[in-house]
Amino acid sequence: MMSEVLYTTRWNDLTRRPLAGHSWITPDEARRRYDEAQGLEIVDASTRDEDGTQRPLWVVGAHGRFRVELLTPGGAVARSVDWDLVDGRLWRWVTVEYVYLDDDTAHVDSDATLELTTTARPDGTASFSMRDESGESHVTQFDDVATDGYWLDVPAFGEWGPLVNATLGAATGPPAD
């Protein structure tokens, strides 16, 4: 179980606090919301600034489906992984990796100099796209992709490790077929 996390219903990555009108919630309330699929955001709280503000390494949105955002030291999204619920298990559907000029600035996604996106489906079809800083995209389609590594069991409340494992959903190149 990961103990250095905070829970909220809506997270603001720019302020590193709950969105206006939302607040931190207790682990008991978070567990209830998770069990009832009411929507929850789990924020890594293992690292903090000198003023005590969390500088999360990752944020997980749990809304029946899951979105995991792995963050740079500056707070920009380095990798986003969308997990869809398919037949009671999680399927790594879309993975986007963002490359910026530096890792110390809170860039927005559109600042990325390179964006690598892998989209995969349980039937073995997939696509890989690369968008460079000029905005030009190159897309490749795949059939018969091995899908074993795209599945994950739905985690029990508090067991966020498999979801935020930085090696899951890596979009370092096209899917292997």
Side-chain angles (χ1 to χ4, degrees):
M1 181 169 207
M2 302 179 103
S3 59
E4 293 186 81
V5 298
L6 295 170
Y7 301 100
T8 185
T9 50
R10 291 293 305 268
W11 168 255
N12 184 324
D13 56 352
L14 295 175
T15 64
R16 292 183 280 145
R17 292 180 170 72
L19 195 66
H22 297 263
S23 61
W24 298 117
I25 58 177
T26 67
D28 288 339
E29 173 64 9
R31 180 183 299 271
R32 183 193 66 74
R33 292 185 67 83
Y34 184 76
D35 291 344
E36 295 176 9
Q38 290 185 338
L40 175 67
E41 298 206 0
I42 304 113
V43 181
D44 167 56
S46 63
T47 307
R48 295 182 179 263
D49 288 342
E50 297 86 33
D51 67 358
T53 302
Q54 51 280 359
R55 184 167 290 283
L57 303 173
W58 51 264
V59 176
V60 174
H63 304 274
R65 300 174 168 186
F66 291 84
R67 171 168 282 167
V68 177
E69 294 182 334
L70 304 175
L71 307 174
T72 66
V77 176
R79 183 177 298 135
S80 175
V81 182
D82 286 343
W83 295 90
D84 200 4
L85 191 60
V86 177
D87 298 329
R89 294 188 75 203
L90 294 179
W91 171 259
R92 183 171 29 102
W93 177 40
V94 180
T95 302
V96 183
E97 189 159 342
Y98 301 94
V99 178
Y100 307 99
L101 291 175
D102 68 271
D103 285 343
D104 298 321
T105 304
H107 296 284
V108 294
D109 301 350
S110 60
D111 290 343
T113 59
L114 186 63
E115 182 179 305
L116 307 170
T117 304
T118 301
T119 302
R121 290 172 187 74
D123 67 2
T125 59
S127 66
F128 175 74
S129 68
M130 180 177 66
R131 182 192 55 79
D132 60 27
E133 60 189 326
S134 72
E136 189 172 332
S137 291
H138 307 278
V139 179
T140 305
Q141 301 292 329
F142 297 87
D143 293 316
D144 300 323
V145 172
T147 61
D148 292 347
Y150 286 83
W151 294 101
L152 184 67
D153 290 328
V154 176
F157 179 83
E159 299 296 330
W160 314 124
L163 276 173
V164 302
N165 179 342
T167 63
L168 290 174
T172 56
D177 41 14

